[in-house]
Amino acid sequence: LALGDGADAIEALEEFWTAVHAGRDVSTLAQRLAGRDAEGVFAYFQAMLSARLAADAKQLAKSGDARARALVNLRESIDALLARGEAVNLDRAQMLTAAARAFQATVR
């Protein structure tokens, strides 16, 4: 992984997170992360998205918030979607768009 991949992935995650919570389209970001030159960035992005969902679920669970279970389920679904997609070489942009839709449905 290239040195800048982690920083680029952090930026991409923040853009994704903000867009999803605002109900905005992520297709431009998804296209950027789908490119060959984004291999390392995508790997970091995927790991950080999973970790952030887990951290948010944990925080909600600690406060007794029932939405924690929904975030755990969302994390599991997105992790499975991205892992299966990578295994069979699906289009990353489509996978990220599907992940965003699932995320938006959960947080609304």
Side-chain angles (χ1 to χ4, degrees), residues 22-87:
R24 291 194 316 262
D25 181 54
V26 298
S27 60
T28 302
L29 171 63
Q31 287 298 324
R32 271 198 337 258
L33 289 174
R36 284 186 176 256
D37 56 338
E39 288 286 326
V41 175
F42 185 80
Y44 275 126
F45 173 86
Q46 186 175 355
M48 289 189 299
L49 176 60
S50 182
R52 185 155 182 188
L53 286 168
D56 282 7
K58 184 176 181 178
Q59 185 176 17
L60 288 174
K62 282 182 178 181
S63 68
D65 193 317
R67 295 176 297 170
R69 171 54 44 203
L71 278 186
V72 168
N73 291 338
L74 175 65
R75 177 183 176 240
E76 291 172 355
S77 294
I78 289 176
D79 284 352
L81 167 73
L82 296 178
R84 279 192 314 267
E86 285 292 294

